[in-house]
C-alpha cells in the first residue's frame, strides 16, 4: 500500500532534517542536532518521534483526550523540550508511560539528544530533552 500524504510529508521532513544535520554539523553529521533544532526543540523532537513510528496523543474538539501517545511541549527552560505520555481517562497511559518514554528516549538519544526521565506532579513521568553540551 503506498504511503499516505501525511506519511510522505513526514518522511520528507525527517530526511530533510538529517540532510541539514549532515551539512551544518560537518564530521559530526547526523548524530548531533542542528542549530534550528536547538532553537525549536519541541518541533524537532516531535518530528523525530513521529518519524520513528510513535503516534502522538490526540484530543477532540472539546479538548478531551482521545488517543494515547506522546505529547511534546516546550521545556521549563529555553532550549529544552518535555515529552509526556497522556491518554484518555482509563486508557492505561499511566501504566505504560515509563516503558514508552524510555523507548522515546532511546530514539532521541540515538539522534544526539540528552534525555532524563523524571517523575512529576501526581507521580506521572515525563522526559526532559535537551541538546548535548
Amino acid at each position: 500500500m503506498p504511503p499516505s500524504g501525511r506519511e510522505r510529508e513526514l518522511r520528507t521532513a525527517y530526511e530533510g532534517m538529517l540532510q541539514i544535520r549532515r551539512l551544518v554539523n560537518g564530521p559530526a553529521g547526523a548524530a548531533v542536532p542542528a542549530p534550528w533544532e536547538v532553537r525549536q526543540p519541541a518541533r524537532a523532537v516531535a518530528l523525530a518521534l513521529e518519524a520513528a513510528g510513535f503516534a502522538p496523543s490526540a484530543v477532540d474538539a472539546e479538548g478531551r483526550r482521545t488517543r494515547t501517545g506522546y505529547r511534546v511541549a516546550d521545556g521549563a527552560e529555553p532550549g529544552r523540550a518535555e515529552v509526556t505520555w497522556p491518554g484518555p481517562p482509563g486508557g492505561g497511559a499511566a501504566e505504560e508511560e515509563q516503558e514508552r518514554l524510555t523507548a522515546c528516549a532511546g530514539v532521541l538519544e540515538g539522534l544526539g539528544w540528552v534525555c532524563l526521565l523524571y517523575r512529576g506532579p501526581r507521580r506521572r513521568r515525563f522526559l526532559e530533552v535537551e541538546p548535548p553540551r
Side-chain angles (χ1 to χ4, degrees):
M1 183 162 98
S4 70
R6 174 70 183 155
E7 290 168 336
R8 283 191 305 275
E9 291 169 355
L10 177 62
R11 185 179 61 236
T12 299
Y14 184 73
E15 289 170 1
M17 179 187 78
L18 295 178
Q19 182 64 22
I20 290 169
R21 283 177 164 212
R22 286 188 285 273
L23 291 171
V24 301
N25 290 336
V32 178
W36 79 265
E37 294 174 83
V38 174
R39 287 189 305 272
Q40 299 179 60
R43 292 182 73 182
V45 166
L47 173 60
L49 292 176
E50 190 172 355
F54 291 96
S57 183
V59 295
D60 64 16
E62 286 80 37
R64 292 182 301 249
R65 193 122 340 245
T66 60
R67 182 175 62 213
T68 300
Y70 72 85
R71 179 180 176 278
V72 182
D74 290 329
E77 296 181 26
R80 293 183 180 176
E82 189 174 290
V83 182
T84 55
W85 195 261
E95 289 80 24
E96 65 185 47
E97 70 186 2
Q98 181 170 350
E99 176 185 342
R100 303 306 291 159
L101 290 173
T102 300
C104 290
V107 167
L108 297 170
E109 288 168 347
L111 291 169
W113 294 96
V114 175
C115 301
L116 298 169
L117 185 61
Y118 290 104
R119 190 179 301 268
R122 296 185 302 173
R123 305 193 51 79
R124 294 299 302 264
R125 296 181 190 279
F126 67 95
L127 192 63
E128 186 177 77
V129 183
E130 63 183 22
R133 301 208 185 256

